[in-house]
Amino acid sequence: MVSDLPEYYFRVRENGAFVFRVDTENRHQRIEMDQIAVVNIKNGSVKPHGERTLSPEGASAIENWMAERATLLAKRDIDDIHRAVDHLNLTTHWAQSRATEEQLEEVTDALLLAMHDLRGVLVRKKADRLMKAQK
């Protein structure tokens, strides 16, 4: 089992990760994790932990993780949008078939404002794409 462990562990956080080097080659034969860096996905920064200098292998592992993480987050973003479309459809059906007057009163203004805002952004972005395509 110990040999199956990766050399680096990334503890994911909201903007990136804490990076640990996994050590199984110690005298107690325990898994030890030594923090080597902090990664920020949003701005691409990698800060070595403490007075450390990252090895070329460590820097490469971090770069690979950052690229894989960015790809995963992009996939999740678009999946969330597809789910939002589904939720809008389900909300439409709920409003038409099951919602009480009190429930509709509670959510109508918030939904109308959110949909108006979304519609404005989508129409503007669509027009920008059409204008760009015509050039």
Side-chain angles (χ1 to χ4, degrees):
M1 178 198 133
V2 172
S3 63
D4 293 3
L5 293 176
E7 188 172 353
Y8 299 96
Y9 171 73
F10 295 82
R11 183 194 301 154
V12 176
R13 61 189 189 113
E14 187 172 332
N15 291 334
F18 295 107
V19 184
F20 297 86
R21 189 177 59 75
V22 178
D23 178 16
T24 58
E25 306 277 331
N26 56 66
R27 64 185 175 125
H28 301 291
Q29 297 204 2
R30 294 184 182 151
I31 298 170
E32 293 181 5
M33 297 190 328
D34 186 26
Q35 185 176 353
I36 62 169
V38 177
V39 174
N40 186 317
I41 289 286
K42 301 286 184 193
N43 65 18
S45 72
V46 177
K47 295 181 183 174
H49 183 70
E51 301 293 319
R52 299 187 188 291
T53 302
L54 293 176
S55 68
E57 296 82 15
S60 178
I62 290 170
E63 287 176 23
N64 291 339
W65 181 86
M66 290 175 71
E68 290 171 7
R69 184 72 179 169
T71 300
L72 175 64
L73 293 175
K75 286 179 184 177
R76 286 183 181 170
D77 276 351
I78 197 66
D79 186 53
D80 286 346
I81 300 308
H82 287 294
R83 289 173 195 256
V85 172
D86 288 348
H87 282 289
L88 282 171
N89 287 317
L90 293 169
T91 301
T92 302
H93 181 70
W94 168 82
Q96 188 173 27
S97 64
R98 296 190 326 266
T100 65
E101 288 185 22
E102 294 80 19
Q103 290 172 323
L104 287 172
E105 188 61 36
E106 183 179 332
V107 299
T108 295
D109 290 343
L111 280 169
L112 286 172
L113 287 170
M115 290 186 313
H116 178 75
D117 184 30
L118 176 60
R119 182 187 179 281
V121 169
L122 291 175
V123 167
R124 189 170 50 252
K125 293 286 193 171
K126 179 79 170 190
D128 290 348
R129 288 192 313 274
L130 289 173
M131 295 297 287
K132 190 176 180 181
Q134 289 178 353
K135 290 183 181 181

